[in-house]
Amino acid sequence: LRTIMKEITECDSNLARAHSMNFGLWVGILCSLSFLFAVYARGGLLLAQLGNLLGIFAIILAGMFIRRYREVISPLTFGQACRISFLTYFFASLITAVVQFIYFRYLDHGQVAEQMTNLLESPEYQQMLQRLSGQSDVKDIMESAMSMLYNPIQMTIQLTWMNLILSIILTPLT
């Protein structure tokens, strides 16, 4: 009986992982489109809003997938639903990271980094950094921040960490 229960549990675990990968693919595609709309919306409010709507729809779609899994395939406890939810967002983050790396490496040509540099060098931002850091000279902070802006791998890793943190926050809500 224990062997049978163990096999059923392993089968359910593999099935859940497989469905999470599938769900993550679709959520990742929507998140990637959301990212691309956001970076190409440089002054175009319509594209930026469309990117935001796609991001929100990706979260709703993840919830719909998990609810459908629970209704059609297998009833879920809260912990199992959280596991599928996190795996879905994790796989979506991986797909989005690939798209972000390709964008920063081959398509961006430093445009996002230039916009961020302009922001970091603005007097308002300088004053805010001085107040937050308590230092009068924020040159070191600025140099370390700017060095990350021109490296596609570092930018992708930073955005992936943000996506994973967001995944942890959204997991129990989905």
Side-chain angles (χ1 to χ4, degrees):
L1 185 60
R2 286 185 187 179
T3 307
I4 293 172
M5 292 304 291
K6 184 177 179 183
E7 288 176 10
I8 290 172
T9 304
E10 288 175 5
C11 181
D12 286 344
S13 177
N14 291 336
L15 183 65
R17 188 179 316 115
H19 280 281
S20 296
M21 286 181 188
N22 188 19
F23 301 159
L25 171 68
W26 292 106
V27 173
I29 289 171
L30 285 176
C31 290
S32 298
L33 287 173
S34 174
F35 167 76
L36 291 173
F37 280 135
V39 294
Y40 281 116
R42 299 183 186 19
L45 188 60
L46 181 62
L47 280 178
Q49 292 303 322
L50 187 58
N52 290 338
L53 288 174
L54 281 173
I56 292 169
F57 183 67
I59 296 168
I60 293 169
L61 186 65
M64 290 169 46
F65 280 148
I66 293 165
R67 187 175 310 114
R68 184 80 175 147
Y69 181 91
R70 184 186 70 221
E71 292 170 354
V72 175
I73 297 172
S74 174
L76 299 171
T77 65
F78 180 74
Q80 291 169 330
C82 283
R83 178 174 175 251
I84 291 175
S85 177
F86 179 76
L87 286 174
T88 298
Y89 288 125
F90 176 76
F91 291 123
S93 294
L94 292 177
I95 291 167
T96 305
V98 170
V99 170
Q100 289 169 342
F101 177 76
I102 291 170
Y103 174 79
F104 287 126
R105 179 73 172 103
Y106 300 107
L107 303 174
D108 182 48
H109 305 297
Q111 293 173 350
V112 170
E114 183 179 320
Q115 288 179 344
M116 292 299 292
T117 301
N118 292 338
L119 174 70
L120 291 173
E121 291 175 344
S122 70
E124 297 87 10
Y125 196 81
Q126 294 282 329
Q127 290 173 356
M128 183 187 70
L129 274 178
Q130 286 176 351
R131 277 185 268 151
L132 290 175
S133 69
Q135 301 173 1
S136 59
D137 185 27
V138 292
K139 189 175 181 180
D140 294 335
I141 297 171
M142 297 293 292
E143 286 176 5
S144 71
M146 285 188 203
S147 70
M148 285 193 299
L149 291 177
Y150 293 101
N151 188 338
I153 293 174
Q154 288 181 340
M155 289 182 74
T156 303
I157 289 171
Q158 184 178 4
L159 289 171
T160 302
W161 275 111
M162 288 173 39
N163 288 339
L164 290 175
I165 291 169
L166 185 61
S167 299
I168 292 169
I169 294 169
L170 289 174
T171 291
L173 302 175
T174 306

